[in-house]
Amino acid sequence: GSAPRLVVKTEGSLYDLTAATDQLRTFEDLLRAAAIAKESIDAIADRLRGDATVLSLDVLDETAPSTPVSSGEVWAAGVTYRISEEARKAESGMPEMYLDVYESDRPEVFFKATPSRTVGPDESVGIRGDSEWDVPEPELGVVLFEDEIVGYTVGNDMSSRSIEGENPLYLPQAKVYDRCCSIGPCVRSAESIDDPHDLEMWMTISRDGEVLYDESTRTNEMERSVEELVDCHVAHDAVPDVSVLLTGTSLVPDEEFTLQEGDEVSIGLEEIGTLSNTVVEV
Ligand code: DO4
Ligand code: MG
């Protein structure tokens, strides 16, 4: 239907929590309820499942895709993996600054997107019409509620390497534009993830049915911890109650590669899910 409903999906069933209490219509409602009750989101969801209506899994297919969390803002960390530091140096006219960021106490944390610039699963991500070299950046996303880590998701930090490489002051234009960010397909609660620093992450890029890129990595390659990035992100700044912080990329296609309209990008993260989007020029 047109009104949002909050559901819990298990292996075989779909539980409509909004049928159990119409106070809970969105994931953000659940986060607020958990904070007030001082309970975890998993504990509330488990308790309400007893009063929930069980739905057929088929209804999910009819639901319009959207981001699993309406993040007030998306921020992103950069140069958190050695391969990203090397890629930035290769593309930049000012390479030394990237080594400084990789090795210094202060990480790079930048504003990435508003909800209006963020797409969900199966929607189109954008490449800029004035850019010649464009890539997806697959990243572990941390979901925050009132500065606390409540979950993890998959993110795509779409980037123009030509604009970023031309001059570091152009970074906001390389990173922030229509459809520059994708989040999804779900949020996995923080307490249900054993270790966010040891997850397999992979990405495929296909064009006209042909796979052009297929690589994987692990989040244990990250130079910094998730907690360190979050601490830096929320310090001295009133970030919105619900926000997402992307943690940097470690899958970088060869320099000859650039995205084209129509390409299909799939990003998978162990224990979380796969986020797929097609590419459109904006
Ligand atoms: O310094 C530019 C951004 C780097 C980035 O987005 C990343 O490492 O993921
Ligand atoms: Mg990035």
Side-chain angles (χ1 to χ4, degrees), residues 21 23-24 27-41 43-44 47 145-146 148 150 241:
T21 163
Q23 309 292 312
L24 300 184
F27 182 67
E28 293 71 33
D29 294 340
L30 181 63
L31 292 173
R32 289 200 172 83
I36 291 165
K38 298 195 182 347
E39 276 187 279
S40 70
I41 57 175
I44 294 193
R47 187 157 44 73
F145 181 67
E146 294 181 343
E148 300 293 327
V150 291
D241 279 357

Side-chain angles (χ1 to χ4, degrees), residues 121-136:
D122 301 322
E123 297 182 307
S124 300
V125 284
I127 48 174
R128 294 180 60 121
D130 62 353
S131 167
E132 287 146 27
W133 188 13
D134 303 279
V135 288

Side-chain angles (χ1 to χ4, degrees), residues 76-80 84 88 108 110 112 136-139 156-159 164 175 246-250:
V79 200
T80 52
S84 178
R88 289 327 103 193
E108 178 195 14
F110 58 92
K112 175 61 190 174
E137 291 192 355
E139 305 192 7
N156 182 349
D157 168 24
M158 292 288 291
S159 303
E164 178 181 348
K175 294 286 191 180
L246 306 181
T247 55
T249 190
S250 85

Side-chain angles (χ1 to χ4, degrees), residues 39-242:
E39 276 187 279
S40 70
I41 57 175
D42 284 356
I44 294 193
D46 278 347
R47 187 157 44 73
L48 289 176
R49 258 166 56 187
D51 295 326
T53 306
V54 181
L55 302 174
S56 154
L57 282 174
D58 296 345
V59 301
L60 281 184
D61 301 333
E62 293 160 19
T63 307
S66 62
T67 52
V69 53
S70 178
S71 166
E73 289 173 359
V74 180
W75 287 69
V79 200
T80 52
Y81 291 83
R82 175 64 78 183
I83 188 174
S84 178
E85 183 256 324
E86 284 164 1
R88 289 327 103 193
K89 280 163 72 176
E91 80 201 3
S92 177
M94 302 179 189
E96 291 319 312
M97 54 179 265
Y98 289 101
L99 184 59
D100 293 346
V101 167
Y102 184 70
E103 291 184 341
S104 77
D105 286 346
R106 181 187 292 276
E108 178 195 14
V109 176
F110 58 92
F111 178 78
K112 175 61 190 174
T114 51
S116 61
R117 297 179 176 92
T118 306
V119 302
D122 301 322
E123 297 182 307
S124 300
V125 284
I127 48 174
R128 294 180 60 121
D130 62 353
S131 167
E132 287 146 27
W133 188 13
D134 303 279
V135 288
E137 291 192 355
E139 305 192 7
L140 170 69
V142 185
V143 181
L144 300 172
F145 181 67
E146 294 181 343
D147 296 353
E148 300 293 327
I149 300 173
V150 291
Y152 294 96
T153 188
V154 184
N156 182 349
D157 168 24
M158 292 288 291
S159 303
S160 162
R161 295 190 69 181
S162 46
I163 295 175
E164 178 181 348
E166 201 175 328
N167 188 312
L169 295 181
Y170 294 153
L171 186 76
Q173 294 170 71
K175 294 286 191 180
V176 186
Y177 54 89
D178 288 345
R179 300 179 172 276
C180 64
C181 182
S182 177
I183 299 285
C186 61
V187 176
R188 179 86 193 244
S189 68
E191 64 182 335
S192 68
I193 295 266
D194 280 344
D195 182 4
H197 304 101
D198 194 21
L199 300 175
E200 190 183 7
M201 179 158 55
W202 62 94
M203 176 167 74
T204 61
I205 306 172
S206 308
R207 183 172 299 158
D208 301 324
E210 187 191 348
V211 177
L212 301 182
Y213 181 88
D214 185 2
E215 295 288 339
S216 66
T217 183
R218 291 195 81 80
T219 55
N220 64 6
E221 301 279 318
M222 197 176 3
E223 178 63 17
R224 301 182 189 265
S225 72
V226 163
E227 290 77 16
E228 179 188 354
L229 296 175
V230 169
D231 285 351
C232 175
H233 171 46
V234 301
H236 314 290
D237 187 23
V239 300
D241 279 357
V242 181

